[in-house]
Amino acid sequence: MELYKTNQLKIYNSLSKSKEVFKPIVEGNVGMYVCGPTVYSNVHLGNVRTFMSFDMIFRYLKHLGYKVRYVRNITDAGHLTDDDAEDKISTKARLEKIEPMEVVQRYTIDFHNTLQNINNLPPSIEPTATGHIVEQIEIIKDILAKGMAYEVNGSVYFDVLKYNETENYGILSGRKIEDSIENTRALDGQSEKKNPQDFALWKKADERHIMRWPSPWSDGFPGWHLECSAMSTKYLGSEFDIHGGGMDLKFPHHECEIAQSKVKNGVNPVHYWMHANMLILNGEKMSKSTGNYILPNEIFSGENNILSKPFSPSVTRFFMLQANYRSILDFTNAGIEASEKGYIKLEEAVNNLDNIAVSNKSSIDVKGWKQKCYDAMNDDFNTPILIANLFEAVKFVNLLLVKKETITAIDLKELKSTLKAFFYDVLGLKNEIQQDSSDKLTGVIELLIQMRKEARDNKNWSLSDQIRDELLALGIQLKDGKEGTTFSVN
């Protein structure tokens, strides 16, 4: 269904700092790029919130009928985030005395497993920085040829002040170049740059730097900002619809992306810039140095000193979706406990949809309720308002079950399809009650199989046959083999 034709979606554009009606470059198609992780440690909860927010956006765009190409990169190159910053991948490799790519592999697997647990859909394309060194070198050549970069001692820098003579470096963040000149502090190695604001496109590797590649200028490595320009351009074109990432990437990372791409391709690369806000823990910034942090798997297992008990991935996801993706979210024990209670109520309502009796008239306005759900999501993916509307449906379901409200077959079908679509497809939640029920059923069957085995060992053939026959009558067939007894449900 091409629901996008009847739904006017508005997106908050960080570039214009306002909500704008979404009009893709090619009707019915969306190109979306999201900055992925630097894989040198376990993915933390704040990162998970960002990727989950864009997963929700990806899901809703698909739900509306758009064909979405979602590109999310893996930063596996040992870049420097600034002139004085360390190469975190190489540092980790030296500490653990392993190859940098072993670090990359370990934490890429952790990243994928964590996002799979939280029920994120995989992106359409997941390119790596090291897989696109050639493309990055070609961009540097082009920027040099256009006079917007310069080479010094084997390193290449983007000339920010020259770029700013005709363009606006600061168009996204709102920063003025004059202010950055006044506030710039001295950095190691800055003496070889023309201006303190200039950023590296290519860095010559010193003897200690493990990850390096040959280039026309030196054996070295690309600047951090360059990889996203290279990969977004390659897979989405010189102009594309949506670029997303965390709020902390707005400056300098995304600002530099705009400058590089504008010089390379002559156009502003992105039509809608989107930024997800940060997650804090118990009112304070998450930080490993202070111990105020928690990993996603520690939430799911309960192995932490912050929460009262384990919470499932779906409850954790539901908690985060109860805040708008652009707002700061405080992760607390009380908050996630309250979310769990609400999640169970919503889940029970979804499971009870098939138990509702139909009538010849409806006393509830299903179409009006459905429109409110779409209105919420069309208002910059406002999941808190959507969830409030879903709880209104919970009231409908509970009143319908006790026959205090009535509903026609047509309206019930619409209620079912809409509630399930937003619960499963858009919000990406899982029905854990059904999973628990299935696990309990398996446990009961296995207990009966054990009882049957004991009966057979004791030559109590009548009890053994009775267990087998009664399970078969329920559609559960036992199969005896050399490795023991297995079962199948018909």
Side-chain angles (χ1 to χ4, degrees), residues 203-460:
K203 287 287 287 183
K204 181 180 180 180
D206 61 29
E207 294 178 357
R208 296 172 300 131
H209 206 91
I210 304 172
M211 303 182 81
R212 59 176 69 210
W213 293 266
S215 80
W217 314 285
S218 64
D219 275 6
F221 49 93
W224 173 38
H225 314 302
L226 192 61
E227 65 183 77
C228 289
S229 290
M231 290 184 276
S232 62
T233 299
K234 179 169 183 175
Y235 298 109
L236 298 175
S238 57
E239 285 184 87
F240 56 96
D241 299 300
I242 297 171
H243 194 315
M247 198 74 76
D248 56 318
L249 297 179
K250 190 183 290 187
F251 186 90
H253 185 52
H254 291 161
E255 200 75 74
C256 294
E257 274 192 63
I258 292 173
Q260 293 163 166
S261 298
K262 184 71 186 291
V263 172
K264 172 67 174 66
N265 299 311
V267 292
N268 284 316
V270 179
H271 286 207
Y272 302 87
W273 283 93
M274 300 182 69
H275 292 92
N277 218 323
M278 67 188 296
L279 186 72
I280 59 176
L281 180 60
N282 292 324
E284 297 179 7
K285 184 179 179 181
M286 285 198 191
S287 169
K288 285 192 176 182
S289 60
T290 63
N292 190 54
Y293 77 98
I294 186 169
L295 296 175
N297 289 335
E298 293 172 341
I299 299 171
F300 311 151
S301 68
E303 295 174 1
N304 62 80
N305 300 317
I306 294 170
L307 302 177
S308 59
K309 63 174 186 176
F311 293 93
S312 72
S314 277
V315 168
T316 306
R317 184 181 180 99
F318 185 64
F319 168 80
M320 290 194 276
L321 288 167
Q322 286 184 288
N324 184 276
Y325 76 94
R326 288 192 292 114
S327 7
I328 294 174
L329 176 60
D330 190 4
F331 187 86
T332 65
N333 186 72
I336 196 167
E337 279 187 342
S339 289
E340 184 179 51
K341 292 174 183 175
Y343 178 78
I344 290 169
K345 288 179 182 177
L346 181 56
E347 194 176 30
E348 287 174 344
V350 171
N351 289 335
N352 279 325
L353 285 168
D354 292 330
N355 300 324
I356 295 171
V358 297
S359 179
N360 57 3
K361 67 174 184 177
S362 292
S363 60
I364 56 177
D365 182 7
V366 174
K367 283 186 170 56
W369 166 79
K370 179 179 178 179
Q371 189 58 53
K372 288 196 295 183
C373 291
Y374 279 100
D375 288 346
M377 287 302 289
N378 291 334
D379 183 17
D380 193 35
F381 311 98
N382 199 329
T383 54
I385 300 300
L386 169 67
I387 290 170
N389 289 324
L390 297 186
F391 278 117
E392 188 177 343
V394 172
K395 291 180 184 177
F396 292 163
V397 171
N398 292 336
L399 290 170
L400 288 164
L401 287 169
V402 296
K403 296 183 169 50
K404 289 188 176 179
E405 297 282 2
T406 59
I407 192 167
T408 64
I410 292 174
D411 280 351
L412 179 58
K413 184 179 179 181
E414 191 157 32
L415 177 64
K416 280 183 181 181
S417 63
T418 305
L419 185 53
K420 288 183 177 182
F422 281 110
F423 184 87
Y424 294 114
D425 302 337
V426 175
L427 296 182
L429 302 172
K430 288 184 176 179
N431 198 322
E432 294 174 340
I433 290 177
Q434 287 183 349
Q435 291 174 343
D436 289 345
S437 299
S438 176
D439 292 341
K440 288 174 183 176
L441 176 61
T442 300
V444 170
I445 295 171
E446 288 175 349
L447 177 62
L448 289 170
I449 289 173
Q450 181 61 32
M451 289 173 63
R452 178 172 174 266
K453 181 180 181 299
E454 291 173 3
R456 296 177 74 184
D457 291 344
N458 295 327
K459 302 188 186 307
N460 188 347

Side-chain angles (χ1 to χ4, degrees), residues 86-96 210:
E86 64 179 352
D87 166 7
K88 293 177 180 178
I89 293 174
S90 294
T91 299
K92 189 85 167 185
R94 277 195 295 269
L95 285 172
E96 299 192 16
I210 304 172

Side-chain angles (χ1 to χ4, degrees), residues 144 149-158 189-195 198 202-204 217-218:
L144 276 167
Y150 55 91
E151 185 263 333
V152 181
N153 300 326
S155 294
V156 181
Y157 297 96
F158 188 92
Q190 191 168 275
S191 57
E192 69 178 17
K193 297 197 297 184
K194 287 183 181 178
N195 314 295
D198 297 348
W202 187 266
K203 287 287 287 183
K204 181 180 180 180
W217 314 285
S218 64

Side-chain angles (χ1 to χ4, degrees), residues 6-35:
T6 56
N7 284 271
Q8 189 180 75
L9 173 63
K10 290 184 178 180
I11 294 178
Y12 182 87
N13 190 346
S14 298
L15 194 62
S16 65
K17 298 172 181 58
S18 63
K19 291 179 185 177
E20 300 177 7
V21 174
F22 179 62
K23 293 180 180 178
I25 296 167
V26 178
E27 184 182 349
N29 293 266
V30 178
M32 181 168 79
Y33 186 93
V34 173
C35 290

